[in-house]
Amino acid sequence: MLLHTLACCLLPFFMPVVTGHGGKKQHESANVLIVSFDGFRWDYLKRTATPNFDRVRSNGVIAERGLKNAFLTKTLPNHFTIATGLWEESHGIVGNTMYDPVLKEKFVVTNKSAMSDPRWFDVGAEPIWVTNQLQKNNGRSGCVMWVGCEAPIKGTTPTRHIPFDGDMPNRTRIDKIMDWFTGEYPVNLGLLYFNEPDHTAHTYGPESPEVTNMIAGLDDVMGYLLDQLKEFDLLEKTNIIITSDHGFAATSDELMVNLDDYIDPTSYRIFSSNPVAAILPNPGMEDSIYRNLSEGAKKPGAHFQVYKKEDIPPQYHFTHNRRIMPIIVVAKENYSIAYNGSQTHYSQKGEHGYNNSLQDMHPFFLAMGPGFRPGAAVDSFNNVDIYPLMCHLLDLHPAPNNGSLDAVRSLLRDEEEEETTLFTFGTYFFVLLVIASVGGVFAVAACRQHRYLKRMQRNRVISMQGGVQYSIPPANGGAKVPLLSESEEEEFH
């Protein structure tokens, strides 16, 4: 009887693995927690001692040179890119400030009603919190101040949500999300935002001692988060992704591009300026404005580039959207843009938003958890790849996106190797058990009968599912994502 019991306990090692829709074993997938430290540049971890970030690095994975973010390296566009796996032209959040010619309205990040207005966010993109809740019966998402979480998207809002409050202490933010992970109806996905070191780098400059001190302070925040996860027995059950939206460059009021030197300030409207100017010319003025700016950009000592919308290089993924203005002026690194006499000096000591090809615009990336291979590293990858990565970790079908799981596959544990190791161990132990006992024959017979019954049951389940066919988008984003264009009147709801 004892041998029969032991033999049947070993059956899971021999039975074929039943896979889910993602080709993974059907099991309760681990939680995912993604954390963003706004403006945390790719090289900031080298500035000072960071023992808690080092805990993640030594037990997890890293992108050595950080992430390549979306073209306009601003906060809103890149947080929404991380959440959706879409470039700015595809998800429609093309700036912290932007204008929609169909809505005939201007979006400003400080406008709280705009941040919760689905007309700006629900235009075809599917953030990870929506994917999680639409696909999992027990999928619950919690957002602490993450861009886009306030607006209903596909009729869905996060199960738990806290809107932006820059005065909320960092530990309080962590306590909130820990409550959500451990409550009666726990979330399985958390998105957690901190607005530093961005604020400090704007005020004092990214190379300042104040930023170095802030990095050390944020390491303490990281330590508190790890300790809380451990205290609630979640550290080994959670895949933690730690990243940011952009890097930083130093600025000075002596490094200025003044548009008034090239174009009449009454001939256009401008919807963002630093360090990329989005210009909407008055009717009939587009060609002359572009010509004057182009001639100015060719002069010695000019520190900007100018593009007509249709001529923006395709690798920037910043053309096919009605919210992108007809003329874009891009300041060179460290320079700021003044216009219409309103800015003769620029008070901030640091800025971001420059071309994403610049290394100092890139943010950092660390991760650890049961889904990651400890010690693995890559040089860099695109931040659009984080969405398919999160879908993989949560065992979800990715919505159409511009990312690729292949770009980060080397950071992940190989499940097939784990299953092979488990099978081999079970086989070896079972053979020893049979050889060591005279009653082994009876145990084998009992196990065969048990396996037969299990197989019959499984076949019935599979036959019930036989008519269902799943379609998984290709790893590179697959299906073309609908774009917002000037020619289409999209219905907003």
Side-chain angles (χ1 to χ4, degrees), residues 80 83-84 91 93 115-131 133-134 146-158 493:
F80 210 52
T84 62
H91 62 55
I93 304 301
M115 291 293 288
S116 61
D117 189 339
R119 296 179 304 162
W120 291 103
F121 293 92
D122 191 9
V123 290
E126 183 176 297
I128 185 64
W129 59 86
V130 175
T131 306
Q133 291 178 199
L134 291 182
W146 198 281
V147 171
C149 283
E150 297 175 52
I153 298 175
K154 294 190 174 181
T156 303
T157 55
H493 51 276

Side-chain angles (χ1 to χ4, degrees), residues 3-4 6-8 11 430 442-452:
L3 290 173
H4 174 268
L6 289 172
C8 292
L11 281 171
F430 183 76
F442 299 101
V444 171
C447 286
R448 284 177 176 171
Q449 177 67 11
H450 189 86
R451 286 199 303 269
Y452 172 78

